[in-house]
Amino acid sequence: MASVLALAVMLGGVAGTVLWLFLQAISLGTSLIWDFAPSFAGGQWIAVPICAIGGCAIGLLHRRYGDYPDELDVVLGKVKQEKHYDYRPFLPMLACALLPLILGASVGPEAGLTGIIAALCYWIGDNVSFARKNASTFTELGEAATLGQLFHMPLFGILAVEEAPMDGEGTRLPRMEKLVLYCLSAGSSILVIWCLNQAFNSSLEGFPSFSEVDIAVIDYAAVLMYIPAGVLVYLLYKVSCDMAQRGAEKVPSVLKETLCGIIVGIMCMMVPMAMFSGEDQMAELIGGFGGLGAWALMGLCVLKVLMTAFCLRFGLKGGHFFPLIFACSCLGMGMSMLLFPDSFSHVAFAAGVLTAATLGAQMKKPLAVTMLLLLCFPFRMVFWIFVAAVIGGWIARLVDGRSGPAPVAYEDEVST
């Protein structure tokens, strides 16, 4: 038992260290490409050939080692169903997770990070005798600690890993023993990140959040528009991914990633708010709508969704949580500006409910969605966020016509 507890603490420390190093590497690489290189070359144009070279490098790695990083649902599906995650091409896996984020692709870091943590945990399981039998459990602990610290919401980490989708066997919470191990792992991860921040005088800032929200009676009626709009964003994302996948299948490997890199570089120069993960751009929106009008915000939502689907299917892969939160917030702000003369007091509620409906439709995990969105929306909205996530998931389940418990991304991976 002492060995198991010690290993849980160690895994939390490893997860915190990997998370900190990963995000620091992204920050350094982004500064080199988007700040230092343009100033040295005398213009932002230099970013386009750099992104093309980076995309080509990713394509070569994909052709040699595999299509990394896996999406979050794929990683969790392999851990739960196959009880294994291949860690052999670790350095190429790390490079494929870092490069899209550094190049400015419209993806988030969670997919690459969970794949890296899963690989490290199974490596530990294969090389530490008493951990071998419970390698999958320890891997889930590492993934939960990583997601919890990445989103600054520890409860989201455990729910994202443990909660079954609404079209599965139903919500299942972990046993008390596993919760204790998770608390130890999460606590160790928090302590390690704090120590690293203090030692190197740095910080891992959380996703920008709305400081307060005013909920009026008229907002309750507007929910009838926000939830369907959120489901429409999910359908747009789903259709865009399907269309981009069909297009990507017609383009040869390496050329596909190179083309994606070129387009990402051009878009980062022309419409930077539609690119990157959306964290910094979200701060601009909360600070004053980014200086955009209602229709511009709604158009930015559509463009962000399309670019996220394009990047995911054309090889510059990553997560979709941050981009979708940003896109839905844009649409919610735009709708509130059209609906209410005094839109400032309504934007947080509109953005929160609409985002909850979209992620509820996409994840089918209302509790996890609720914990995730408390990252950037006030706690007063917890009831409406949960309701929107449940209704969004229910509508999406009817539209999708799903019956199996496994996430679609993992089913696609198995069928392939």
Side-chain angles (χ1 to χ4, degrees):
M1 179 59 67
S3 299
V4 170
L5 296 175
L7 184 59
V9 173
M10 184 188 74
L11 286 176
V14 169
T17 303
V18 170
L19 171 62
W20 190 87
L21 291 173
F22 190 86
L23 296 182
Q24 294 298 327
I26 293 172
S27 178
L28 176 61
T30 303
S31 297
L32 286 174
I33 292 180
W34 298 103
D35 294 328
F36 175 76
S39 63
F40 180 79
Q44 289 284 346
W45 63 268
I46 191 65
V48 177
I50 291 176
C51 290
I53 294 171
C56 180
I58 294 172
L60 292 172
L61 291 172
H62 285 170
R63 187 166 66 180
R64 175 66 177 85
Y65 297 101
D67 195 19
Y68 291 103
D70 289 327
E71 294 184 42
L72 180 61
D73 288 343
V74 175
V75 177
L76 296 178
K78 287 181 177 179
V79 171
K80 289 182 178 296
Q81 300 187 31
E82 297 180 6
K83 307 299 181 184
H84 183 71
Y85 192 80
D86 191 13
Y87 55 83
R88 300 297 178 186
F90 182 76
L91 290 179
M93 185 189 307
L94 179 61
C96 290
L98 278 171
L99 283 176
L101 297 165
I102 293 173
L103 296 176
S106 181
V107 295
E110 67 274 7
L113 269 173
T114 51
I116 292 168
I117 294 298
L120 286 173
C121 290
Y122 273 106
W123 180 86
I124 293 173
D126 287 348
N127 291 276
V128 179
S129 57
F130 67 83
R132 188 171 300 126
K133 185 171 64 174
N134 296 310
S136 296
T137 299
F138 285 121
T139 302
E140 292 177 7
L141 290 175
E143 291 174 337
T146 302
L147 290 172
Q149 295 311 306
L150 176 63
F151 293 98
H152 295 266
M153 280 290 160
L155 281 177
F156 168 69
I158 193 66
L159 287 171
V161 174
E162 291 292 332
E163 186 181 4
M166 293 169 60
D167 50 356
E169 69 271 14
T171 301
R172 60 180 182 87
L173 296 178
R175 293 175 299 174
M176 183 57 66
E177 295 88 344
K178 195 169 183 180
L179 281 175
V180 171
L181 293 176
Y182 171 69
C183 290
L184 288 173
S185 181
S188 173
S189 178
I190 293 172
L191 179 61
V192 166
I193 291 176
W194 182 84
C195 291
L196 288 171
N197 286 335
Q198 295 299 313
F200 293 93
N201 193 26
S202 63
S203 63
L204 296 182
E205 298 181 359
F207 202 79
S209 61
F210 292 88
S211 58
E212 59 184 28
V213 58
D214 296 325
I215 305 177
V217 176
I218 190 65
D219 289 314
Y220 302 149
V223 168
L224 299 176
M225 289 182 287
Y226 296 152
I227 292 179
V231 176
L232 287 177
V233 174
Y234 158 72
L235 293 175
L236 174 64
Y237 173 71
K238 185 174 183 294
V239 171
S240 300
C241 285
D242 293 340
M243 294 179 63
Q245 180 64 39
R246 288 196 292 269
E249 291 172 353
K250 300 177 181 179
V251 183
S253 180
V254 183
L255 177 60
K256 174 181 65 177
E257 289 84 356
T258 305
L259 176 63
C260 186
I262 294 172
I263 294 177
V264 164
I266 294 173
M267 290 297 297
C268 285
M269 291 174 54
M270 296 179 60
V271 194
M273 287 196 72
M275 303 307 296
F276 300 93
S277 66
E279 185 174 353
D280 294 335
Q281 292 77 10
M282 187 74 170
E284 295 183 34
L285 286 182
I286 294 175
F289 309 151
L292 300 175
W295 292 107
L297 284 169
M298 291 189 284
L300 182 59
C301 166
V302 174
L303 183 59
K304 183 69 174 178
V305 172
L306 295 178
M307 288 306 304
T308 300
F310 174 75
C311 292
L312 289 175
R313 295 299 179 256
F314 271 74
L316 269 63
K317 301 175 64 178
H320 59 269
F321 287 146
F322 282 171
L324 286 184
I325 291 174
F326 173 76
C328 293
S329 297
C330 288
L331 181 58
M333 290 179 177
M335 291 182 65
S336 67
M337 291 171 69
L338 291 178
L339 292 173
F340 306 107
D342 180 21
S343 60
F344 185 79
S345 59
H346 300 276
V347 292
F349 185 82
V353 172
L354 200 148
T355 306
T358 299
L359 292 184
Q362 200 278 325
M363 293 179 65
K364 311 293 191 301
K365 297 180 178 183
L367 289 176
V369 169
T370 303
M371 292 299 103
L372 171 61
L373 292 186
L374 290 180
L375 165 75
C376 47
F377 296 101
F379 186 79
R380 285 184 59 195
M381 292 182 58
V382 63
F383 171 76
W384 291 103
I385 288 174
F386 178 76
V387 169
V390 171
I391 297 175
W394 177 73
I395 296 174
R397 194 170 69 252
L398 293 178
V399 174
D400 293 345
R402 298 179 185 173
S403 58
V408 169
Y410 180 68
E411 291 176 347
D412 292 344
E413 181 79 7
V414 171
S415 63
T416 303

